[in-house]
Amino acid sequence: MKKRYDNLDGLRAISCLGIIAMHIKANADYQIYDWVFDVFVPSLSLLVYLFLLISGFGIFCGYYERFKEGKINLNVFYKKRYKKILPFFTFLILIDILVERSLSHLIEGLTEVTLVFGLLPNNQPDVIGVSWTIGVIFLFYMLFPFFVWLCWDKKRAWISFIISIILNIFCEIYYFTDKFVIDSFAPRHSFLYCSPFFLGGGLVYMYRKEIKEFVSQHKWLCLVGCLGITGFHYLFIQPWLRMDHPGPLMLLLYLPWLCYAISVDSIVLSNKGMKYLSGVSLELYLAQMVIFRVVEKTNCLYIFGKGWLSFISVFFVVFVGLILFIELWKKMTNVSSILFSLKS
C-alpha cells in the first residue's frame, strides 16, 4: 500500500499561498519599499521548483515500483492524469476564451487543453499564464516510464541526476542565449531545464528510508540546518540571483525541506487545513489570476491605499474568492455527475 506523507500537504499549501502572494505583487502597484516586499515576496515565485520536486517524489511514490515490475496499466495511468487536470483546466480556458474573444486565445486554449503543450518550443501561453507548469509536469508524466529506466537503480539514478544538472547548466550558458531563443523565452518553461527537480524528487524517494532514519535521529539538528540554509540563501544568494535562472541552487534550498518533511511529524505541515488546501492546490494555482482579475476589475486593489493593509486585504479576498470558486465548481460537477448517472 502506498505510504502517504502528510507533511507534503503543508509544503504544497504554503508554496501555493506564496505564489499567489507573489502574483498579486507582480500585477499590482503597491508602494511598499522594504526587504520583505522587494526581495522576499518576489522570491516566492521560486516555490514552483518545490512543486516540481514534490511532483517528482509523489509520482515515484505511486508508480515507480509498479512500472519497474510491469504491473502498471498505461491506459489507467494516463487516463487518471487527464481526469485530474483536464475538467477544471478546461473550464478556466473556456472562461478566458469567452472573455478575450480573440483568435490567438482560441488557438492557445485549444492547444493547452491537450495538455501536451509542454512540447512546444516556447511553452509560454497567455491563456492561463501560470499553466506553463502544467505543460512541464504533464510532460514528466508522459516520460515517466523513461524516468523509471533512468532510475532503475541508485547508481544509474545518481548518474542521470548529475547529467540533468549538467544539461541545466548548458541550457543556462549556451542553449538559452540569443543563438537559440528569443528575448522573452522563459528558461523554467523548458522541460529539460526543470528535469533535475523531477529526478531530485526521484532520488529522495529511492533514499527515503535512509533519509527518514537519519532525520528522525537528528530531528532538531536537521530543522536548524534547513532554517540555516534558507537564511543563508536569503542573506547571501537571493540578492544577486536572477529570478528566472536559479538553476541547481534551488535544489540546495528545497531538497533539505523535502527530506525533512517526509521524515518527521509536524502539526504545522500536517493538519486538516493543510490537507484541504493541498487537495485543492492545483485549482488554487490555476485559478488565482482569474479571481485576481475580478478583484482588479471591481477596483478593489487599493481601497486602503497602496501599502501593506491593501496588499494583505487583497490577498485575503483573493484567497477566500478562490475557495468559494473551487467549492462552487465542486458542487457543479457533483450535480452534473448525479444528473448524468440518472440519465444513464
Side-chain angles (χ1 to χ4, degrees):
M1 182 179 178
K2 177 184 173 182
K3 175 179 173 55
R4 192 176 194 282
Y5 294 90
D6 294 333
N7 286 341
L8 296 185
D9 291 337
L11 290 186
R12 287 193 193 94
I14 293 171
S15 298
C16 196
L17 295 177
I19 291 172
I20 291 171
M22 178 276 301
H23 278 124
I24 292 174
K25 180 198 184 305
N27 290 276
D29 185 30
Y30 294 108
Q31 306 298 309
I32 305 172
Y33 305 103
D34 56 32
W35 179 87
V36 174
F37 201 73
D38 290 335
V39 178
F40 179 73
V41 175
S43 77
L44 297 177
S45 170
L46 300 174
L47 286 168
V48 72
Y49 293 108
L50 181 55
F51 268 133
L52 301 185
L53 269 174
I54 295 172
S55 295
F57 178 79
I59 291 296
F60 268 84
C61 282
Y63 295 99
Y64 174 76
E65 299 295 341
R66 283 191 274 173
F67 265 106
K68 194 172 179 181
E69 296 170 3
K71 295 180 179 179
I72 197 68
N73 183 319
L74 284 177
N75 181 53
V76 173
F77 177 75
Y78 290 113
K79 189 175 181 179
K80 186 175 181 180
R81 310 276 80 74
Y82 271 101
K83 187 176 180 180
K84 180 180 180 180
I85 300 172
L86 200 56
F88 188 72
F89 188 38
T90 303
F91 180 59
L92 294 177
I93 290 173
L94 180 60
I95 291 175
D96 182 277
I97 292 174
L98 292 175
V99 171
E100 296 296 332
R101 289 176 292 178
S102 71
L103 179 60
S104 63
H105 277 246
L106 177 62
I107 291 173
E108 287 192 21
L110 292 176
T111 303
E112 287 183 50
V113 83
T114 65
L115 299 186
V116 298
F117 58 97
L119 293 168
L120 290 170
N122 189 16
N123 172 24
Q124 196 164 341
D126 288 326
V127 178
I128 318 299
V130 297
S131 67
W132 68 266
T133 317
I134 300 298
V136 171
I137 292 176
F138 196 81
L139 190 51
F140 170 59
Y141 297 156
M142 291 172 62
L143 295 174
F144 185 68
F146 179 62
F147 273 76
V148 173
W149 180 80
L150 288 176
C151 299
W152 199 261
D153 54 49
K154 291 178 179 178
K155 179 180 178 181
R156 191 187 295 178
W158 273 109
I159 293 173
S160 300
F161 180 61
I162 292 170
I163 291 174
S164 74
I165 292 177
I166 293 172
L167 289 174
N168 178 285
I169 295 171
F170 284 173
C171 285
E172 171 73 25
I173 66 176
Y174 183 70
Y175 289 110
F176 293 165
T177 61
D178 294 340
K179 181 178 180 180
F180 293 98
V181 300
I182 61 177
D183 290 339
S184 62
F185 179 80
R188 62 181 181 175
H189 295 196
S190 165
F191 176 79
L192 194 60
Y193 187 80
C194 293
S195 59
F197 299 94
F198 296 119
L199 284 166
L203 269 177
V204 172
Y205 168 78
M206 298 183 77
Y207 284 92
R208 64 196 183 283
K209 295 179 182 178
E210 294 88 341
I211 291 171
K212 184 172 183 179
E213 181 179 354
F214 178 83
V215 175
S216 297
Q217 294 176 358
H218 307 87
K219 179 179 177 180
W220 290 106
L221 178 63
C222 291
L223 177 59
V224 170
C226 288
L227 293 172
I229 290 171
T230 303
F232 180 85
H233 170 85
Y234 278 101
L235 287 174
F236 300 105
I237 296 178
Q238 190 64 41
W240 57 263
L241 180 67
R242 286 183 295 169
M243 291 300 293
D244 207 29
H245 300 250
L249 289 174
M250 291 301 97
L251 288 167
L252 298 177
L253 176 61
Y254 292 134
L255 271 174
W257 281 110
L258 178 59
C259 293
Y260 180 80
I262 67 169
S263 305
V264 301
D265 295 322
S266 170
I267 191 64
V268 175
L269 296 176
S270 177
N271 53 63
K272 290 183 179 180
M274 291 299 187
K275 185 175 182 179
Y276 170 79
L277 292 177
S278 176
V280 297
S281 59
L282 176 66
E283 290 82 0
L284 288 170
Y285 179 79
L286 289 175
Q288 57 180 298
M289 292 310 298
V290 174
I291 304 302
F292 174 81
R293 293 306 177 194
V294 173
V295 176
E296 181 183 44
K297 295 296 183 183
T298 54
N299 298 315
C300 293
L301 291 182
Y302 311 112
I303 290 180
F304 302 108
K306 292 190 174 183
W308 274 109
L309 183 57
S310 283
F311 176 75
I312 294 172
S313 299
V314 169
F315 175 84
F316 178 77
V317 171
V318 170
F319 174 71
V320 173
L322 279 167
I323 298 300
L324 293 175
F325 183 69
I326 292 167
E327 289 302 316
L328 178 61
W329 162 257
K330 287 182 179 180
K331 290 187 181 299
M332 289 170 52
T333 53
N334 288 338
V335 169
S336 61
S337 298
I338 292 171
L339 291 175
F340 181 78
S341 63
L342 290 175
K343 287 182 180 180
S344 57

